[in-house]
Amino acid sequence: MTVEKKNWPLWEVFIRGKQGLNHKHVGSLRASDSIMAIKNARDVYTRRAEGISIWVVPSNMISASDPSDEESLFEPAQSKVYRHPTFYDVPDGISHM
Amino acid sequence: MEKVDNKDLEMKFQQKIDQDIKIEPNDWMPDNYRDTLIRQISQHAHSEVVGMLPEGNWITRAPNLRRKAVLLAKVQDEAGHGLYLYSAVETLGADREDTIDDLHSGKAKYSSIFNYPTLTWADMGAIGWLVDGAAIMNQVPLCRCSYGPYARAMVRVCKEESFHQRQGFEVMTKLAAGTPEQKEMAQDALNRFWWPALMMFGPNDAESKHTEQSMKWKIKRHTNDELRQQFVDVTVPQVEMIGLKVPDEDIKWNESKSGYDYGAINWDEFWQVVGGNGPCNQERVDARRKAKENGSWVVEAATAFANKRMKKTA
Amino acid sequence: MTIKEALFKYILRLGDDSLILGQRLSELCGHGPILEEDIATTNISLDLIGQATLFLEYAGSLSNETKTNDELAFLRLEKEYSNVLLVEQPNGHFGDTIMRQFLFDAFRLPLLTKLQESKDKTLSSIAEKAVKETKYHLRHSSEWVVRLGDGTEESHKKIQDSLNTLYRYSHELFFVDEADALLKEKGIIPELDDIKTEWTNTIKDVLEMATISLPMNNWKFEGGRMGRHSEHMGYLLAEMQYIQRTYPNMEW
């Protein structure tokens, strides 16, 4: 995975609080690498509280289930988390996309 | 492979909303719902970030160490709120930097209150008390909005927001009870921020074309005028309590509606400021655009470094 | 010089370094290269103002006229501030800000770590609180020095230039006078040579990873500790002291 273009990639942040049992999804942020992502997550989502566990995952690495299994919608069964334009690589030379 | 029936999807979508079931990022949603939310949430995010500037203006001149620290913490919170909101808008398929570029080009809007200058220390009190107060009034109902990530961002924001209003009110209270110069400073700030604070709730309901659909989709839970009335009713007693005067000759308690009647808003001024002719529109947008431009070499450097490291470990 | 007088001078230096650097960083609010960095910078500024508040409160209690921390922060004459010249240098571009921070953090961390063992209980407890924050500051600034040094050609040049300019101000961090000698003798402050060794090693390691090098120019700027500041200090104080000077003797 190369860091694309000029913008830093998107990371999803999961936090387990001091007394917590598991990691909870709290939001996302931009960072150029995982070290920065964790540090930024600590600043933004925990305000540096201690005893907290932080997981960060590049957003385009997450696979999600289809939200409504009863509906037979014409959607792929395993879509990307959300339809973010940067999750999809476009070959060089293609413009207007 | 069944054909997708749009009308059926829309009906099920509206049913979810009516039953207060949250819409999540991967759910089907009408294009208009998605577009409206992208505009509304990014505007909200821009407001938080631009809102750092009028207050940031006074951090270096705060009158004592405690006030300096509190103002720093408040402005830092606002940056954090901006981040929560940009994070929410990205779940809708919008690119945060694209929305930010729209802000810098003038294409995207932000709350027009931040186009007013902060001229004295008392403005810090007025902003915390009135501007954050108005924002809270708007944000609390949004904690129940239909779109999951936005609602959850609002819950997080609201938790941190009450300190903002309290510290502003404390600043104003202290000034109003201080020396004649301080009291005058406080009254002057109130005079300058009162009407712009009322304008924060947007145009009259009659002029507000999006309201009906937004209320149906529960991305707006109260009308502009409802919130504005609530704000006046809550704030007028606070003004009186600290010994200042509301800069509105027409403020009068109306027993039959159990609320205050208040004077006419200068809608000319509202539309001028929204349209770009406020005292600070140019400066605010310039400051944000310059920050990004001056910092682009930093962003590029971090990207280049990350790529080098990745090649090494590959 | 009595111990109390020496301690007053020393604590004031710690407080002034924190205060002036915190003030400089607070100028950056809303102007950082990216929102996440704005939060990080404000965090550091807040930590430093917090440290200044504690150090200046303690110093105030040691002074002859028993001043409050606000009186010390906002009402002294320029020549009475004893911060090093390094911290009053302007923010410049992001590289300048980071390099100034890095040179400072690499000094403060070993210093505060050792001050936790000071025979002076108040000083050791303030140091204990400040150490955790400073570890974080140093990680932040050194990670950025490396990213910028080993990033693009442009960032490499910029951060090298920052180092060339600011390195000349870093030597003043190791200024000692009779106050330091007296306090060291009493076990209140550590041996500064040990701090310097750690500082030098940290600088060396980080610069190597950043692929930048120490400048040839080893000139040593000093004067801050003696109250002889750069031209920047006057403007910085004019802004910081504005309200207290314009509206004297009021409560805020």
Side-chain angles (χ1 to χ4, degrees):
Chain A
M1 179 195 93
T2 333
V3 177
E4 294 291 353
K5 303 183 184 160
K6 296 167 70 186
N7 294 333
W8 294 343
L10 194 59
W11 301 74
E12 299 301 321
V13 179
F14 302 81
I15 307 269
R16 186 186 63 213
K18 223 170 174 166
Q19 316 290 356
L21 295 173
N22 42 31
H23 287 76
K24 219 175 95 164
H25 179 246
V26 293
S28 64
L29 48 78
R30 297 273 177 168
S32 58
D33 57 45
S34 61
I35 291 176
M36 190 195 285
I38 291 185
K39 191 207 156 287
N40 286 351
R42 201 187 303 278
D43 279 340
V44 177
Y45 289 104
T46 77
R47 306 304 172 94
R48 284 202 260 136
E50 288 175 16
I52 303 239
S53 170
I54 301 173
W55 288 352
V56 294
V57 185
S59 307
N60 64 0
M61 293 275 112
I62 298 183
S63 300
S65 60
D66 190 296
S68 44
D69 290 327
E70 324 93 79
E71 317 275 357
S72 346
L73 299 174
F74 182 45
E75 293 272 16
Q78 295 242 305
S79 61
K80 295 289 182 182
V81 177
Y82 32 82
R83 288 167 266 275
H84 202 285
T86 63
F87 293 174
Y88 304 90
D89 288 329
V90 174
D92 288 350
I94 307 266
S95 56
H96 306 300
M97 195 180 293
Chain B
M1 214 161 61
E2 279 174 31
K3 247 174 72 176
V4 173
D5 190 333
N6 237 50
K7 268 206 138 88
D8 190 52
L9 287 169
E10 276 188 39
M11 190 190 73
K12 293 208 161 78
F13 172 79
Q14 189 60 50
Q15 261 171 22
K16 261 181 155 168
I17 293 189
D18 294 337
Q19 291 163 32
D20 278 323
I21 295 173
K22 292 270 180 272
I23 309 295
E24 297 296 346
N26 236 13
D27 292 343
W28 183 92
M29 57 185 83
D31 286 341
N32 214 3
Y33 179 83
R34 185 189 301 276
D35 292 341
T36 303
L37 270 176
I38 289 177
R39 199 185 55 242
Q40 183 173 329
I41 300 176
S42 58
Q43 207 164 298
H44 198 163
H46 298 328
S47 299
E48 294 283 351
V49 173
V50 174
M52 292 168 69
L53 295 172
E55 290 172 299
N57 205 14
W58 277 89
I59 296 176
T60 53
R61 290 175 291 173
N64 61 39
L65 293 169
R66 178 170 168 261
R67 293 292 177 206
K68 198 189 284 285
V70 167
L71 196 51
L72 266 167
K74 178 176 194 282
V75 175
Q76 187 193 30
D77 276 355
E78 276 148 23
H81 295 174
L83 271 174
Y84 303 152
L85 289 161
Y86 284 127
S87 162
V89 89
E90 302 226 65
T91 67
L92 288 160
D95 187 289
R96 157 177 142 180
E97 290 307 312
D98 286 347
T99 71
I100 288 175
D101 290 339
D102 282 347
L103 168 70
H104 297 172
S105 70
K107 207 165 140 214
K109 299 262 169 260
Y110 53 92
S111 189
S112 56
I113 186 76
F114 302 119
N115 292 318
Y116 290 86
T118 48
L119 302 174
T120 72
W121 170 250
D123 292 24
M124 296 302 102
I127 288 183
W129 173 31
L130 302 175
V131 175
D132 283 77
I136 288 171
M137 219 150 253
N138 192 35
Q139 283 160 190
V140 168
L142 286 176
C143 293
R144 294 174 297 119
C145 96
S146 57
Y147 188 57
Y150 192 22
R152 290 188 289 273
M154 285 293 93
V155 169
R156 197 182 284 277
V157 165
C158 286
K159 272 202 197 122
E160 297 173 352
E161 202 78 61
S162 59
F163 130 69
H164 294 184
Q165 194 187 20
R166 259 183 285 128
Q167 65 84 42
F169 190 59
E170 190 194 74
V171 167
M172 281 303 247
T173 306
K174 196 91 195 216
L175 293 173
T179 65
E181 291 106 322
Q182 287 176 308
K183 187 162 185 179
E184 195 187 319
M185 201 195 284
Q187 183 64 58
D188 169 68
L190 174 58
N191 293 348
R192 281 182 289 106
F193 277 93
W194 176 260
W195 292 104
L198 294 194
M199 292 181 207
M200 278 178 77
F201 296 97
N204 281 136
D205 293 347
E207 317 288 320
S208 185
K209 44 194 168 108
H210 297 296
T211 294
E212 201 191 320
Q213 180 60 268
S214 292
M215 304 257 312
K216 191 152 177 263
W217 279 335
K218 292 190 181 163
I219 55 187
K220 192 179 174 118
R221 305 301 306 240
H222 295 281
T223 72
N224 296 352
D225 290 335
E226 274 169 15
L227 290 174
R228 195 177 355 252
Q229 182 65 55
Q230 200 183 331
F231 177 77
V232 171
D233 292 342
V234 163
T235 314
V236 168
Q238 291 171 346
V239 175
E240 290 167 354
M241 187 170 82
I242 61 175
L244 295 178
K245 200 168 164 299
V246 180
D248 180 357
E249 312 251 296
D250 299 318
I251 284 271
K252 205 164 101 195
W253 180 255
N254 182 330
E255 191 57 52
S256 60
K257 80 179 194 193
S258 266
Y260 288 94
D261 287 335
Y262 53 93
I265 291 177
N266 182 350
W267 290 112
D268 254 347
E269 180 183 327
F270 173 78
W271 291 112
Q272 284 297 328
V273 174
V274 165
N277 285 329
C280 297
N281 294 54
Q282 192 69 47
E283 286 90 333
R284 300 293 182 235
V285 172
D286 281 351
R288 292 307 305 155
R289 193 182 53 247
K290 281 205 183 91
K292 181 166 177 174
E293 283 170 3
N294 291 343
S296 64
W297 69 274
V298 176
V299 174
E300 278 161 32
T303 302
F305 177 79
N307 285 338
K308 283 187 199 179
R309 281 295 171 280
M310 252 183 283
K311 285 208 181 93
K312 279 196 187 143
T313 58
Chain C
M1 188 184 289
T2 65
I3 298 289
K4 195 172 175 218
E5 283 165 351
L7 196 54
F8 170 71
K9 277 191 161 193
Y10 187 78
I11 305 292
L12 202 62
R13 288 169 188 170
L14 290 173
D16 284 347
D17 283 349
S18 304
L19 175 68
I20 300 301
L21 187 53
Q23 175 77 1
R24 272 296 188 217
L25 291 175
S26 74
E27 294 168 16
L28 296 170
C29 224
H31 304 286
I34 196 163
L35 207 46
E36 285 83 350
E37 271 312 305
D38 252 316
I39 294 181
T41 305
T42 338
N43 248 342
I44 298 173
S45 178
L46 207 43
D47 288 341
L48 289 169
I49 298 296
Q51 290 172 18
T53 303
L54 294 175
F55 283 130
L56 292 179
E57 184 181 11
Y58 186 33
S61 72
L62 297 167
S63 70
N64 289 330
E65 305 111 49
T66 314
K67 295 198 189 277
T68 65
N69 47 16
D70 283 329
E71 282 170 327
L72 286 174
F74 294 92
L75 294 177
R76 276 178 290 163
L77 300 175
E78 181 175 323
K79 61 182 181 175
E80 293 169 317
Y81 287 84
S82 53
N83 54 283
V84 288
L85 297 173
L86 177 66
V87 298
E88 70 195 53
Q89 298 310 302
N91 291 321
H93 58 60
F94 186 74
D96 299 323
T97 303
I98 284 296
M99 183 53 72
R100 181 188 61 199
Q101 193 67 44
F102 170 62
L103 294 170
F104 182 76
D105 293 337
F107 162 72
R108 283 283 273 229
L109 183 57
L111 176 66
L112 291 170
T113 306
K114 294 221 158 60
L115 280 174
Q116 290 177 116
E117 292 142 46
S118 169
K119 290 233 163 69
D120 184 291
K121 290 285 159 264
T122 312
L123 182 51
S124 68
S125 78
I126 300 177
E128 200 180 308
K129 185 181 178 296
V131 161
K132 280 190 205 136
E133 299 167 344
T134 311
K135 270 200 188 117
Y136 202 76
H137 301 172
L138 179 59
R139 263 180 64 182
H140 177 258
S141 56
S142 53
E143 278 169 11
W144 269 112
V145 169
V146 174
R147 280 195 193 102
L148 296 179
D150 195 16
T152 59
E153 258 181 62
E154 183 184 2
S155 70
H156 177 94
K157 180 171 190 309
K158 278 187 152 96
I159 194 75
Q160 179 70 68
D161 285 345
S162 304
L163 178 61
N164 295 347
T165 304
L166 293 170
Y167 191 64
R168 298 170 300 169
Y169 294 94
S170 62
H171 309 289
E172 196 183 10
L173 292 166
F174 304 101
F175 169 92
V176 286
D177 65 4
E178 59 163 319
D180 299 89
L182 192 51
L183 295 173
K184 193 176 74 175
E185 204 195 327
K186 297 289 175 190
I188 294 177
I189 68 174
E191 167 63 62
L192 207 55
D193 277 342
D194 296 339
I195 311 285
K196 185 159 192 189
T197 306
E198 277 198 59
W199 179 84
T200 308
N201 288 336
T202 304
I203 306 288
K204 181 171 171 294
D205 290 341
V206 172
L207 294 191
E208 194 176 310
M209 284 192 280
T211 72
I212 58 179
S213 39
L214 284 176
M216 301 304 257
N217 185 349
N218 216 18
W219 181 250
K220 186 159 105 179
F221 279 125
E222 55 184 9
R225 287 285 187 240
M226 313 279 45
R228 216 172 48 241
H229 293 279
S230 66
E231 274 187 355
H232 303 296
M233 192 67 171
Y235 293 104
L236 187 153
L237 289 179
E239 203 172 317
M240 193 171 78
Q241 297 188 347
Y242 163 69
I243 298 225
Q244 288 281 354
R245 296 290 187 193
T246 315
Y247 301 94
N249 301 315
M250 297 186 202
E251 306 223 321
W252 305 90

